[in-house]
Amino acid sequence: MSNTSNNISNSSSGVTADLTFQYDESLPSLPLPSLQNTLTKYLDSVKPFLSTTEFLAYKEQVKKFEEGIGKTIHSKLAQKAKHSKNWVHEWWEEAYLNGRTPTAILGNMVGVQPSLDDIWPPEMGSQLSRASIYIYHMLGYWSSIRRQLIAPDGRKDKLSMHQLRSIFNCGRIPGIKRDQLIRSFKTG
């Protein structure tokens, strides 16, 4: 494969693919949904779990929120969105790093998926071969990310691939009140 400034070309097939992180800097800012849209989605999500009476009570509370503190909060979010590419990123990361629960059990977003046991049931003495195959494929994925061989998500409108930078070469360092992320990812 030959690397050009904007893409990678597979000379055997003539296919040109976009680089993994090619669009990240040029993507538009994350849009802030309207307060009405958010509250409608909230009501739609709780409706199946509530009786008619409970749902009407929730609807009344949502209306009070919308006309009261909801306006203030949404206005502050709109200000944040004006000056930030991703208005929710810092808050999401803060909530993740401030959590004091065991992350390996309750907050691990990567690793062996439980469905693997359905495909390849564990057997006595198979740990070494299973671990070897898992490591082999994970290193292949790491290499593909590092060389930017994974096509950006999205067909017409490309999506940010930024989170792939934290799958590998990233560590969570424990702190007393807040943990810290150390990232050392580099493309190559």
Side-chain angles (χ1 to χ4, degrees):
M1 289 189 187
S2 64
N3 191 350
T4 64
S5 61
N6 290 326
N7 56 43
I8 293 177
S9 177
N10 184 335
S11 55
S12 63
S13 67
V15 175
T16 300
D18 296 332
L19 296 170
T20 303
F21 305 110
Q22 178 176 339
Y23 299 102
D24 280 5
E25 294 303 316
S26 63
L27 290 171
S29 297
L30 180 68
L32 177 67
S34 71
L35 179 58
Q36 181 61 46
N37 182 298
T38 302
L39 296 177
T40 299
K41 284 185 177 187
Y42 169 73
L43 287 171
D44 289 346
S45 71
V46 299
K47 189 173 186 176
F49 304 101
L50 303 172
S51 68
T52 304
T53 306
E54 290 171 324
F55 181 71
L56 291 173
Y58 265 69
K59 205 170 178 179
E60 186 61 35
Q61 289 298 312
V62 165
K63 191 73 174 157
K64 287 180 185 176
F65 176 83
E66 180 181 17
E67 294 168 353
I69 194 168
K71 277 185 185 177
T72 305
I73 293 170
H74 195 267
S75 174
K76 289 180 180 182
L77 284 174
Q79 286 301 314
K80 172 89 172 148
K82 280 183 186 177
H83 306 290
S84 177
K85 187 120 170 131
N86 182 337
W87 55 270
V88 77
H89 176 78
E90 288 174 28
W91 291 325
W92 182 92
E93 198 166 89
E94 184 177 325
Y96 174 68
L97 294 173
N98 285 342
R100 306 291 28 147
T101 57
T103 55
I105 298 168
L106 302 172
N108 187 11
M109 294 168 207
V110 296
V112 178
Q113 301 300 314
S115 60
L116 185 61
D117 289 345
D118 296 338
I119 299 166
W120 187 16
E123 296 176 11
M124 185 64 83
S126 68
Q127 294 93 335
L128 184 58
S129 60
R130 291 169 68 87
S132 299
I133 290 169
Y134 181 74
I135 291 168
Y136 172 82
H137 287 288
M138 290 305 287
L139 287 174
Y141 191 60
W142 171 81
S143 179
S144 294
I145 295 171
R146 189 167 156 79
R147 293 183 296 145
Q148 297 197 64
L149 299 178
I150 297 172
D153 285 340
R155 292 182 185 182
K156 179 182 168 204
D157 296 325
K158 299 300 182 190
L159 303 175
S160 174
M161 301 294 283
H162 178 73
Q163 288 189 353
L164 290 182
R165 296 175 187 272
S166 296
I167 291 179
F168 302 101
N169 305 87
C170 179
R172 181 175 172 160
I173 310 302
I176 294 173
K177 292 186 177 183
R178 179 189 164 114
D179 296 346
Q180 177 183 10
L181 288 180
I182 304 294
R183 295 180 177 98
S184 60
F185 176 83
K186 292 179 176 57
T187 56

